[in-house]
Amino acid sequence: TKERNKNDYQIFKTSFTDGFKERLTLETELHKAIKNKNFELYFQPQIDIKTKNIIGLEALCRWNHPEKGVISPNEFIPLAEKTGLIIELGDWVLREACRQNKLWQDLGFNKVKVSVNLSAKQFLQRDLVQNIEHILKDTGLDPEYLELEITESMAMSNEKFIIETLKGFQDLGVNVALDDFGTGYSSLKYLSQFPLSKLKIDRLFIQNRTEQNIAIVKTIIHLSHSLNLRVIAEGVENEDDLLFLNNENCDEVQGFYFSKPLPVNEVDSLFHKKLS
Ligand code: C2E
Ligand code: CA
Ligand code: CA
Ligand code: CA
């Protein structure tokens, strides 16, 4: 009926405008936050499964909002990506991660890699390799202690350009890991053509160990090793997860079982002890 249609429209119109307003506000605030540097990096340890030593730290971005508190990257990274703000934010993340890692090294802590997530738009920047070279020079971090995490979806678009960029990283001495592996459109062709150093198994496969997912994890680990890549599993939440991955010969693990992502001062104290 007409009545119903009118109401439906009303509902649609209200929620549409609300969502639109909310997004506009968030976008404006994101602009401001980038200008005011209201972001903070948290770091989550990556552990060598055999020695149990921390060998890396993944940098994960947090937005410290004056009223809303800490906002998760799942809420602002997609918006930053859509609006292009990710370029500036991503630059800050890269620089901050390198600066902090160099600082830890200067303090005499064990040298570890810092892993930085790259977004698709960032990855497609023509001057990304040069930019990273500058950041490494400015911060004084040795390239071997920086790792970049890219996802399969980025690897899809312009194959030639991707390979060129990845070769650029390789020439710099920077490692690249393929994140969320198994969830995208992986092509075995890419795996052999891309100069990568690591595959990162998505936590979906670790946390939901159906017969099929177990088979997938085993396959990814075998695949990594036959391509001479290291392999890390994320989302390791309990001892069973760890035992399973140890059994399957996974090289590295990351997850709440060892540590959640931590602010800088808590990483400092973590460096003093070996995780069990
Ligand atoms: P990701 O790269 O897959 O990062 C792993 C996410 O899993 C992190 O969420 C981490 O806190 C969470 N995690 C770690 N261990 C466990 C576990 O044992 N169990 C469970 N359930 N979760 C675990 P976070 O920090 O909220 O980040 C979410 C996503 O936001 C990241 O997923 C990444 O795609 C993106 N992101 C975060 N920081 C940045 C950044 O600086 N740049 C870009 N481009 N993306 C970022
Ligand atoms: Ca990641
Ligand atoms: Ca991941
Ligand atoms: Ca993920």
Side-chain angles (χ1 to χ4, degrees), residues 79-276:
L79 182 64
E81 173 90 3
K82 207 172 348 178
T83 53
L85 288 168
I86 193 71
I87 301 299
E88 210 177 322
L89 180 59
D91 266 8
W92 178 84
V93 170
L94 271 165
R95 189 170 285 275
E96 185 59 18
C98 291
R99 187 195 65 77
Q100 184 59 58
N101 198 23
K102 176 69 164 112
L103 186 64
W104 278 319
Q105 295 187 351
D106 289 346
L107 288 170
F109 294 136
N110 284 339
K111 291 188 174 184
V112 301
K113 272 187 197 127
V114 70
S115 300
V116 175
N117 292 286
L118 290 186
S119 83
K121 268 216 182 118
Q122 224 182 334
F123 191 71
L124 293 174
Q125 290 285 294
R126 290 274 152 196
D127 56 355
L128 181 64
V129 174
Q130 221 181 38
N131 192 6
I132 289 179
E133 189 178 12
H134 282 145
I135 290 174
L136 288 166
K137 234 181 229 136
D138 290 350
T139 59
L141 183 71
D142 191 324
E144 72 173 291
Y145 295 109
L146 172 65
E147 183 169 82
L148 304 170
E149 294 195 5
I150 64 169
T151 59
E152 293 164 294
S153 50
M154 305 177 196
M156 289 306 293
S157 43
N158 182 344
E159 202 179 323
K160 243 188 166 166
F161 175 73
I162 308 285
I163 293 178
E164 227 170 81
T165 303
L166 290 175
K167 289 226 169 91
F169 293 148
Q170 192 179 40
D171 291 343
L172 274 186
V174 169
N175 292 298
V176 178
L178 199 50
D179 199 4
D180 300 342
F181 190 73
T183 61
Y185 310 87
S186 0
S187 157
L188 297 179
K189 188 182 92 187
Y190 293 137
L191 278 187
S192 57
Q193 282 180 2
F194 291 174
L196 299 167
S197 49
K198 199 189 278 184
L199 295 186
K200 195 163 190 181
I201 307 173
D202 195 80
R203 70 164 183 263
L204 174 96
F205 302 107
I206 309 303
Q207 293 182 347
N208 182 17
R209 278 208 295 287
T210 59
E211 208 175 307
Q212 281 164 336
N213 283 348
I214 290 174
I216 290 173
V217 171
K218 288 183 181 188
T219 306
I220 296 177
I221 294 173
H222 279 291
L223 179 67
S224 305
H225 289 157
S226 34
L227 292 170
N228 269 320
L229 301 174
R230 283 181 67 84
V231 58
I232 181 168
E234 66 179 7
V236 177
E237 292 188 351
N238 54 54
E239 201 175 357
D240 273 359
D241 296 346
L242 179 62
L243 288 174
F244 163 64
L245 291 160
N246 197 25
N247 235 347
E248 298 307 332
N249 255 320
C250 192
D251 302 312
E252 299 171 24
V253 278
Q254 177 180 350
F256 296 164
Y257 179 64
F258 295 97
S259 169
K260 57 186 187 298
L262 302 170
V264 166
N265 64 318
E266 289 180 47
V267 179
D268 287 353
S269 42
L270 198 74
F271 268 123
H272 295 293
K273 55 177 186 215
K274 194 167 164 171
L275 295 172
S276 57

